[in-house]
Amino acid sequence: MRRLQDVRRQGRPISRQVRVVAEALGVGERAVWRWLADAERGGAGVVVTGPREQAGTRFTVTPEVRHLFALWKGNVAAVHRELVARAARLSPPGYVPSLPTLHRALRRDLDSGERAGLAAGERAARRHDVFLARPRGWRNQVWETDHVQVPVLVDVEGTGRRPWITWFTDCATNAITGLAVTPGYPSRESVLAALRSAVLREDPYGPFGGLPEKVRVDRGKDFLSTMVMAVFDVLDVTVEDLPAYTPHLKGTVEGLNRAVEAMFLAALTGYARQPRPGKRPSRPKDEILLGFEDFTARLLEWVQWWNTSHRPAPLGGRTPLQAWQADPTPLRDVPATDLWTFTLQDAGTRTLTTRGIRFRKRDYAAAWMTGKTGIRVQVRYMPHHDHRIEVFDVATGRYLGPADLADQATEDQVSAVRRVRAARTRRLRKDLEASQRERYAAATEPGPPRCLGALSAAEADRELGEASESDLSKLALPDLIPHSPPPAHWRTPPALAAGTAPLPPVSAPADPPQDAPPEPDTHPAGDA
């Protein structure tokens, strides 16, 4: 390369010399010109390289290059440096393509999805795939459901929380048939509340609803719980459990999750993903968050707009309501009372006694129980709603009515218990997780957040009593460890001597010598 530079400095043509060098190294003339230009710019010029195995063949991506491409997360320059270093360790040196040649080979031999997958993983590769669109079908043929945590901080009893939305959407009309909003983590109760609002077609849920033929879920443990699966089985609804990490298989509800953020949540106060200035962006201290009731009301208004005014592209200029009403498919309705029964968990049978119904070591009573003691009843309940149970007659299956927790704690008692629990949480770190996972009821209509976990008055008094006894300052006893006894020559009152610990046994001293002086009298007669 230095010889070519010298010839070029002398002003003589070097085309023939370049051709000779290219033939000797088994590379193209453009590569030699590129090396020469790089050397004149002060670069390294030609890298340590050997001749090609066959002259005239172009470089192709090998498994080694693929592995290095994945190792360096798609950094082609790093892959080239690694190839150069490996070739330099060989004897004789192996062939290494130039960096532009490596770029061209990767673009030619690997498609965009494969390059994205090697650099960033399977999810990145899936963005370059082609997905076939399912046929639109008919209304209530297939529903899709999902949980989504909204990126908006909402004021829940003085604490900023990010609520969860559980909703069902119809794949044929893109209509949101039902939803439930939970201030905390969703559960089976959230799924059942959303399902109830989706199936019912009476006010305020209609006109969308009825029973679907199939529901797609994504292996969520709440959707596949024993109780929820039993409800779908009773309602004759097929559940399609999709493989994990396959959002493209339920694109309708996933598209809704993205749309609600871009079209509604991003404009709300407390939006958590709002760009903010500064190296360490923080929320304004004077920011006023929406209350849970206000947030739920605004979300339901947006859902109403989505169903009646929004015109999704797949519907060809129609709204979900117009597409729903234009579909002549008959609907399968379930009475509200039957649906309520189906969406309750069975707790077995009990005997109605003079104290009511015993359930989970608690007594539940109601006015309709008067004169009915001794009958066998079936108990059903909504998960986590331990303040009320629903009672049915075992013999006839007739619904008898609800029963509320007898001797339920007052609001003051519940507040006192919560304060004690918070103080205990601060003292004991192991209770922190239990305190953070408070259960809240799912809401389908605007209303204040309702914390679940009913207490009886006896349970509240017992827990408060245990908390007061756990105060170490109140348990401190000054005479818990008895004092050492006074010396033997002291005259101690018997009342004080009884509260002292005895001295450890001491071996008897040896007899004093005969010439030893007598011990002085330590108890003079005047002290008696």
Side-chain angles (χ1 to χ4, degrees), residues 216-518:
R216 294 194 185 104
V217 300
D218 58 353
R219 293 202 175 185
K221 63 179 182 179
D222 301 324
F223 299 101
L224 298 180
S225 62
T226 303
M227 180 179 178
V228 175
M229 294 297 292
V231 171
F232 283 130
D233 185 54
V234 170
L235 298 177
D236 193 21
V237 177
T238 303
V239 178
E240 183 180 358
D241 183 17
L242 301 175
Y245 304 106
T246 54
H248 57 284
L249 296 181
K250 53 183 183 68
T252 304
V253 71
E254 292 292 344
L256 178 61
N257 292 340
R258 295 189 296 269
V260 69
E261 179 175 355
M263 303 173 69
F264 169 64
L265 300 175
L268 295 181
T269 303
Y271 182 59
R273 297 173 183 169
Q274 184 72 28
R276 303 194 182 275
K279 296 182 178 179
R280 293 186 177 182
S282 59
R283 310 201 63 81
K285 296 182 179 180
D286 57 347
E287 185 177 26
I288 300 177
L289 302 179
L290 291 174
F292 179 76
E293 183 176 359
D294 191 12
F295 170 78
T296 305
R298 295 192 184 192
L299 176 63
L300 292 178
E301 291 176 359
W302 180 83
V303 171
Q304 182 71 14
W305 170 85
W306 173 278
N307 286 336
T308 59
S309 301
H310 180 55
R311 302 177 186 272
L315 299 183
R318 297 181 299 172
T319 65
L321 179 60
Q322 293 172 345
W324 181 275
Q325 294 175 341
D327 194 330
T329 305
L331 302 176
R332 293 189 300 157
D333 289 322
V334 179
T337 56
D338 294 345
L339 183 62
W340 172 255
T341 302
F342 294 152
T343 54
L344 295 175
Q345 185 165 348
D346 187 6
T349 59
R350 302 289 193 281
T351 300
L352 183 59
T353 66
T354 56
R355 299 183 58 181
I357 298 175
R358 191 71 172 173
F359 174 60
R360 291 184 174 177
K361 300 180 181 181
R362 297 175 173 184
D363 292 325
Y364 291 80
W368 59 263
M369 295 181 179
T370 304
K372 294 183 174 61
T373 58
I375 64 173
R376 296 287 294 176
V377 296
Q378 182 184 18
V379 176
R380 302 179 72 91
Y381 69 100
M382 177 65 73
H384 313 301
H385 289 248
D386 46 4
H387 62 284
R388 171 173 291 187
I389 60 176
E390 307 294 334
V391 186
F392 300 81
D393 193 337
V394 173
T396 63
R398 184 171 59 90
Y399 175 63
L400 299 178
D404 294 323
L405 179 64
D407 189 27
Q408 186 167 353
T410 64
E411 289 296 331
D412 294 339
Q413 288 176 314
V414 173
S415 300
V417 170
R418 289 181 180 174
R419 287 195 299 269
V420 170
R421 287 178 178 174
R424 181 181 59 192
T425 299
R426 289 191 295 268
R427 292 194 304 266
L428 305 176
R429 291 182 177 273
K430 65 180 181 180
D431 292 339
L432 182 59
E433 181 179 0
S435 173
Q436 291 178 342
R437 291 185 60 86
E438 291 182 348
R439 296 282 187 180
Y440 288 88
T444 58
E445 298 179 6
R450 184 156 54 92
C451 185
L452 300 178
L455 284 174
S456 66
E459 291 173 334
D461 293 338
R462 183 170 60 252
E463 187 163 349
L464 291 174
E466 293 175 354
S468 61
E469 293 177 358
S470 64
D471 191 352
L472 297 181
S473 62
K474 296 181 180 180
L475 293 177
L477 300 176
D479 56 347
L480 185 61
I481 302 176
H483 299 285
S484 300
H489 62 279
W490 288 14
R491 293 190 59 83
T492 307
L496 295 179
T500 59
L503 288 173
V506 182
S507 58
D511 295 333
Q514 297 297 330
D515 55 352

Side-chain angles (χ1 to χ4, degrees), residues 146-149 162-167 180-191 221-223 384 437-442:
D146 195 14
H147 295 309
V148 59
Q149 187 179 22
R162 294 174 56 185
W164 288 78
I165 303 176
T166 304
W167 44 24
V181 187
T182 312
Y185 293 98
S187 62
R188 301 171 295 172
E189 184 253 352
S190 306
V191 178
K221 63 179 182 179
D222 301 324
F223 299 101
H384 313 301
R437 291 185 60 86
E438 291 182 348
R439 296 282 187 180
Y440 288 88

